[in-house]
Amino acid sequence: MATTTPRLTLQDFLELPNIEESPAWEYADGRADRKPMPTAYHSILQKRLTAAIDLANSSYEAFPELRCILSSNSVVPDITVIHRDRIPTGNTPLTGAPDWTIEILSTDQSTTKLIAKIQTCLQEGSQLGWLLDPDEQVVMVLLPDMRVNLLRGSDRLPVLQGINLELTVEQ
């Protein structure tokens, strides 16, 4: 179950001492919420997808649990994919939305909150969002024009232009 704090500003949130502890804290709509602890299956999906994207030999890099500071939110997608020239230096978060954000639904997470998080990233510049639902074996693909595609089985998943990666939902 996620932990929540009282209302505060984004700046107040970023100054809290423990927001990077595992599991990380996120900030949206004036509230800080702790992400749920991932299951082994969640972690395996996260690890394998990150590796597959990195092995695609493109100018993009995939990061698990990278903090992204948006205009009024601070999110930590399960997987953040960004162009190499946007990789933060030092021990700093990414400023701005990821180029591609991937979320993996856990049993104790709200689908609505994850969709809202992906849509916020899309509104602030992300080009692509995925929401994986392992229990239903579907991937919701969200695009900046607010279109949502529900893909299953052998459906091929869209990726960012310039990433040579062919994946299906069942893979």
Side-chain angles (χ1 to χ4, degrees):
M1 185 105 200
T3 304
T4 304
T5 64
R7 289 185 104 30
L8 60 155
T9 68
L10 176 59
Q11 191 56 45
D12 290 340
F13 169 78
L14 293 173
E15 293 172 4
L16 292 175
N18 302 324
I19 63 172
E20 297 302 336
E21 288 180 356
S22 182
W25 289 81
E26 296 182 298
Y27 176 85
D29 301 322
R31 294 206 172 273
D33 292 307
R34 193 166 209 171
K35 291 182 71 168
M37 185 61 80
T39 63
Y41 185 70
H42 181 283
S43 294
I44 290 168
L45 275 174
Q46 187 178 31
K47 181 177 106 174
R48 289 186 180 159
L49 270 172
T50 301
I53 294 164
D54 284 343
L55 289 172
N57 196 22
S58 75
S59 57
Y60 290 90
E61 297 276 341
F63 297 90
E65 308 293 330
L66 179 65
R67 180 167 306 283
C68 305
I69 307 298
L70 307 176
S71 62
S72 59
N73 295 317
S74 175
V75 298
V76 182
D78 290 327
I79 302 172
T80 298
V81 182
I82 56 175
H83 195 275
R84 283 193 184 128
D85 63 7
R86 296 187 61 215
I87 295 174
T89 57
N91 193 20
T92 60
L94 175 67
T95 301
D99 297 307
W100 174 11
T101 184
I102 301 172
E103 292 290 345
I104 303 165
L105 183 64
S106 296
T107 54
D108 56 349
Q109 279 185 300
S110 162
T111 304
T112 304
K113 283 184 180 180
L114 288 178
I115 290 170
K117 179 165 63 166
I118 294 169
Q119 285 181 326
T120 297
C121 289
L122 291 168
Q123 291 166 352
E124 295 210 18
S126 290
Q127 301 166 44
L128 178 62
W130 284 3
L131 175 55
L132 284 71
D133 185 336
D135 290 340
E136 297 292 329
Q137 297 182 351
V138 298
V139 176
M140 265 187 244
V141 176
L142 292 89
L143 300 166
D145 63 4
M146 299 309 229
R147 192 168 25 123
V148 177
N149 297 316
L150 192 62
L151 303 179
R152 293 181 162 88
S154 62
D155 291 339
R156 189 168 166 214
L157 293 165
V159 298
L160 293 177
Q161 187 172 357
I163 298 179
N164 186 21
L165 178 64
E166 292 189 22
L167 285 176
T168 64
V169 173
E170 61 197 1
Q171 288 175 305

